[in-house]
Amino acid sequence: MAGAVTHDPSPAASHRQGKPLIVTEDADLLDDLLRLCAAAGATPEVHPSVPERRGSWETAPLVLVGDDAARRVRGATRRRGVVLVGRDQDDPGVWQRAVEIGADHVLMLPDGEQWLVDRIADVAEGVGRPALTVGVIGGRGGAGASTLACALAVTSAREGLRTLLVDADPLGGGLDVLLGGETSEGLRWPAFAASRGRVGGGALEESLPELHALRVLSWDRGDCVAVPPQAVRAVLAAARRRGGTVVVDLPRRIDDGAAEALAQIDLGLLVVPAELRAVAAAGRVAAAAGMVLRDLRVAVRGPYAPGLDDREVAALLRLPLVGEVPVEQTLLRPDGGKAPPGAAARGPLARFCKQFWERALIEAGGA
């Protein structure tokens, strides 16, 4: 159980990074709090009372005061980000003690463990602007969605943005293959299938393969073709908390896992070849994705069927037009070229992606 007493931490406090401070002499409570800090990826500073060294109490991003220590910190400087932690849910006096020390929250273990892990992880990682998250989905099979997703991620990384590319299509063959890194060390989706609650953003990023200056979460070559929706939610939330950009290659079939991914996407790109059957198929995909994703736009790929152009395709689908996705000639070679999509900085595909990011980041207020 967690309850608010006065106020939440200020925005300025929530952006600070540092060690949480634990104040308690209760050995059992300390063991629990250290365990929760470890789960959140934080190493705390521990004291039995208000630290004698000036600054620790005032500057720690989060202070966890054991109920046993409430009286010992009663005269400490009032500050935000103080949580009074206890175990006796039937003790009415805990709320009075919380008021006396100026605590923001009262938390009772074990019920409030997940809430506390989330708070500790926030201060350990820092809470800033979430990543601009872009989803790419094909209007039909072979539309080139994976190619565009990779090119967007490669371009974002080349522009100096922290970038994470997520392969949410288990039947797509693996984006690590498209990037030439199928043998690279690092975790793939099956390793996160049991994830629940909060996943540490830093730990996630460090565990993934690094290819072309970006991190990639793809599928392995095993027979796992799905992860639970809760795991998709936890992993994407962790990826977004780190800021920068996240690019998600989406499947055309919207199952529970894909719906979780769509719920965390800021902007979706529907890649549609300029032919009537593709437009008809894309209409069904757009209807399904649009039930979850509020901002879906069209990226048209040529060559064009007679009577069609990019504006007509967008009009038929009743969606905003991003533009025409240019062809990267090296990708048309039988071996697909040795470089990943968008690797040629002066190529037409890279220029398209750069212009897209410039506009999208301005819209999102990130530039």
Side-chain angles (χ1 to χ4, degrees), residues 51-60 79:
E52 294 182 3
R53 178 169 56 85
R54 182 172 177 80
S56 295
W57 174 271
E58 292 82 4
T59 62
R79 51 153 294 163

Side-chain angles (χ1 to χ4, degrees), residues 137-140 252 254 270 277-291 317:
I137 186 168
R140 66 155 169 79
R252 290 185 297 121
I254 310 300
L270 180 64
R277 287 188 63 191
V279 172
R284 292 191 290 272
V285 175
M291 295 178 67
L317 292 170

Side-chain angles (χ1 to χ4, degrees), residues 6-330:
T6 53
H7 46 246
D8 288 325
S10 67
S14 68
H15 282 264
R16 291 180 302 183
Q17 288 180 263
K19 293 183 177 181
L21 173 65
I22 297 176
V23 180
T24 184
E25 286 186 324
D26 184 329
D28 292 336
L29 179 61
L30 178 59
D31 285 345
D32 282 337
L33 293 178
L34 290 175
R35 171 175 57 83
L36 297 177
C37 284
T43 302
E45 183 178 342
V46 180
H47 291 272
S49 184
V50 177
E52 294 182 3
R53 178 169 56 85
R54 182 172 177 80
S56 295
W57 174 271
E58 292 82 4
T59 62
L62 181 67
V63 179
L64 307 178
V65 178
D67 195 25
D68 67 291
R71 290 180 175 84
R72 296 194 296 275
V73 303
R74 191 179 293 167
T77 303
R78 293 299 177 100
R79 51 153 294 163
R80 296 185 176 184
V82 175
V83 180
L84 183 63
V85 185
R87 295 181 184 278
D88 187 356
Q89 310 228 11
D90 297 323
D91 178 10
V94 68
W95 297 98
Q96 179 61 37
R97 293 191 290 276
V99 172
E100 290 173 353
I101 67 173
D104 299 316
H105 294 272
V106 171
L107 181 135
M108 291 296 173
L109 298 180
D111 292 357
E113 286 193 355
Q114 186 58 58
W115 182 91
L116 187 54
V117 169
D118 289 348
R119 287 292 300 275
I120 297 170
D122 281 342
V123 301
E125 295 179 358
V127 180
R129 183 190 298 276
L132 174 58
T133 305
V134 175
V136 186
I137 186 168
R140 66 155 169 79
S146 296
T147 297
L148 179 57
C150 285
L152 286 169
V154 168
T155 303
S156 171
R158 186 169 52 241
E159 293 298 310
L161 297 171
R162 175 206 160 267
T163 306
L164 196 152
L165 175 62
V166 179
D167 186 354
D169 185 359
L171 303 180
L175 293 186
D176 54 350
V177 177
L178 190 54
L179 291 171
E182 60 269 26
T183 61
S184 298
E185 294 186 0
L187 299 182
R188 269 65 173 180
W189 264 119
F192 300 98
S195 298
R196 299 290 187 277
R198 174 105 177 201
V199 174
L204 169 68
E205 188 169 345
E206 292 173 5
S207 72
L208 300 177
E210 183 174 8
L211 304 170
H212 309 285
L214 59 97
R215 297 285 180 167
V216 182
L217 175 55
S218 188
W219 297 86
D220 61 14
R221 264 29 83 185
D223 55 5
C224 176
V225 295
V227 296
Q230 303 95 311
V232 175
R233 182 190 313 130
V235 169
L236 282 181
R240 285 172 54 83
R241 283 196 304 272
R242 299 285 288 175
T245 67
V246 175
V247 180
V248 185
D249 184 26
L250 293 159
R252 290 185 297 121
R253 182 175 179 272
I254 310 300
D255 57 13
D256 290 343
E260 286 291 350
L262 283 165
Q264 298 199 49
I265 286 171
D266 300 307
L267 189 161
L269 297 181
L270 180 64
V271 184
V272 184
E275 55 188 50
L276 287 176
R277 287 188 63 191
V279 172
R284 292 191 290 272
V285 175
M291 295 178 67
V292 183
L293 179 60
R294 288 177 292 180
D295 189 353
L296 183 62
R297 310 179 192 183
V298 179
V300 181
R301 185 172 65 81
Y304 292 91
L308 284 182
D309 59 21
D310 53 358
R311 295 181 183 277
E312 180 65 17
V313 171
L316 289 170
L317 292 170
R318 298 181 180 178
L319 292 173
L321 175 65
V322 169
E324 178 184 347
V325 181
V327 175
E328 193 96 302
Q329 293 298 328
T330 57

